[in-house]
Structures are given as structure tokens and as C-alpha cells.
Amino acid sequence: MRTFIYLDESGDLGWNMHDPYQKGGSSRMLTLAAICMPEEKSKYIQRIVRALYKKRNRPLSNELKSVDLNTADKELFLRLVAKLLSEHKDIQLRSITVHKEYVNSKMKKDPNVLYNYMIKCLLLKPICESKFVDFMPDRRSEKVNTKWNMGEYLNQMILEQSIEHYVENQSCNVSPMDSSKCLELQFIDFYAGLVWSAYEFRDSKARM
């Protein structure tokens, strides 16, 4: 059985904490979110995304982003996600949020260091526990800059873990995808945006 993992983020990797966010300043929070599931469960994720498009009477060709969701959209999404998780215990929604103002100064010098550390905290366990993994980040997330390759980092992370611990994983294939053509990535974009909003704006409607 293969495990599919989709990843997206919300917030940014800027470090201007002097100016207000959206007025020259950077986001105070950075959220990474992922969904881990057996490959055959993708259809359930797609159904939730399609339901939001149907509600908005919006064609799938016109990509819906987390910033486009209104209050009613968020409420529908959260209801459907809660139902999904109660009925499918083998689907995991995972997220990690960092308050950037408290990030170690060494990590601020290279955005890859912080991003890699968050990836490790978020995904090392489910990847190592799954024999075969297909990892699909949003293409925009695949490289923070041209010096970093997510696939190389993940394979190094798995190898290091296997030195001291039993690791089930035999392969982890990284296939960056375009979210406009992938409903699963749109799903995790919605989720990442909700989690990030709960921290960045203290948006109570975003809390599950």
C-alpha cells in the first residue's frame, strides 16, 4: 500500500517584524500543513474540494485559493473535514506553526534551515512508518530557492533516522505538482490557510 502526502504552506519566510503585516511587514507566523493517506482515499479529498466549487458555482478551471474562502466556505469545509476524519481513521491531517519572532537567529540567515527543520518535525514519523511514499508538495514549495532540493533532503532525513531506529520506508518519491491541476493540493491549501489564520489573526472561525 502506498501513502500519498500533500504539502503546502501559509505565511511567508520574510523577516521584517518592524512593520505591520501586509503593510510592508512579514507574516509573524509560518504554517506548514500536510495530509497523509492511503492512495485510494484521494477520492474523498477531491469530493470535499468539489463541494466548495459547487457551492460557489465556480468551475474547477478557476482555482479557488484559501484567501478566497468566505465564512460560509470555511464552515462547510470544516464540517466536511470533521466528518472525513471521523469516518477514515487512516487519514492524517498534520500541521506545524512557527512564531517567527522567536526563531533562532541562525535559522533566520537561511530560510532553508527553518523550512527543513519544520518538514522534519512534521513529516519524518509518517514517512518512516510508511513503506512506499509519494510526496507531492505544491510546486511553489518544492524549492525555497535554487540551492535546495526537497527530495534530497527527505532521503537524507530518512537515512539518518535509520541509523538509530527501525524505518519501514523503502522509497519516498517527490513529485512537485501544480495546485491548479490537483484538488488534493487545493484541499491542503485550504487547511493550511485556516490553521495559519487561527494563529496570525486569532481567527476563531478557523479553529476545528
Side-chain angles (χ1 to χ4, degrees):
M1 183 175 68
R2 304 191 71 84
T3 297
F4 282 3
I5 299 178
Y6 295 88
L7 172 80
D8 203 0
E9 81 271 350
S10 196
D12 60 58
L13 277 165
W15 299 102
N16 180 357
M17 302 298 165
H18 300 292
D19 300 316
Y21 178 55
Q22 297 179 326
K23 294 183 179 179
S26 306
S27 68
R28 273 45 178 178
M29 306 291 175
L30 174 66
T31 294
L32 301 190
I35 185 167
C36 311
M37 60 188 173
E39 59 179 318
E40 67 270 14
K41 296 296 179 77
S42 288
K43 59 186 178 182
Y44 300 110
I45 307 304
Q46 295 173 5
R47 286 175 188 171
I48 291 177
V49 177
R50 290 178 187 276
L52 288 174
Y53 276 87
K54 183 177 180 180
K55 174 184 174 297
R56 296 284 289 268
N57 194 27
R58 182 174 179 136
L60 291 174
S61 58
N62 184 9
E63 185 181 1
L64 186 63
K65 306 291 289 184
S66 62
V67 294
D68 300 322
L69 301 183
N70 57 36
T71 299
D73 296 330
K74 294 176 183 179
E75 290 175 350
L76 173 61
F77 179 74
L78 291 173
R79 285 199 305 272
L80 293 175
V81 169
K83 184 173 186 291
L84 172 81
L85 296 179
S86 68
E87 294 177 350
H88 301 275
K89 303 300 183 182
D90 52 358
I91 295 178
Q92 294 182 40
L93 272 176
R94 307 174 69 90
S95 69
I96 181 171
T97 299
V98 167
H99 194 309
K100 294 189 299 177
E101 292 180 276
Y102 299 101
V103 167
N104 184 291
S105 60
K106 293 181 180 179
M107 288 188 172
K108 295 180 181 179
K109 295 178 181 179
D110 183 350
N112 294 327
V113 176
L114 174 61
Y115 204 95
N116 288 353
Y117 180 71
M118 293 175 69
I119 289 283
K120 181 178 180 179
C121 293
L122 181 67
L123 293 176
L124 179 59
K125 186 175 187 291
I127 288 176
C128 288
E129 291 177 349
S130 303
K131 193 169 186 178
F132 304 107
V133 172
D134 287 314
F135 181 57
M136 281 80 71
D138 189 316
R139 191 174 298 279
R140 297 165 304 146
S141 306
E142 196 267 338
K143 288 184 178 181
V144 175
N145 60 46
T146 57
K147 297 179 182 178
W148 177 59
N149 181 279
M150 188 180 288
E152 292 177 2
Y153 174 71
L154 285 173
N155 284 314
Q156 177 183 332
M157 183 175 71
I158 296 166
L159 177 61
E160 291 175 354
Q161 183 74 359
S162 68
I163 294 173
E164 297 183 357
H165 304 280
Y166 173 75
V167 170
E168 178 74 18
N169 183 265
Q170 294 184 9
S171 71
C172 179
N173 299 313
V174 180
S175 302
M177 301 185 71
D178 183 345
S179 63
S180 67
K181 300 178 177 62
C182 178
L183 296 184
E184 293 88 345
L185 276 178
Q186 292 179 39
F187 174 95
I188 204 61
D189 169 61
F190 299 160
Y191 181 69
L194 284 168
V195 174
W196 173 75
S197 294
Y199 289 98
E200 186 76 33
F201 304 117
R202 301 184 183 278
D203 182 1
S204 61
K205 295 184 178 64
R207 298 182 186 275
M208 292 183 67

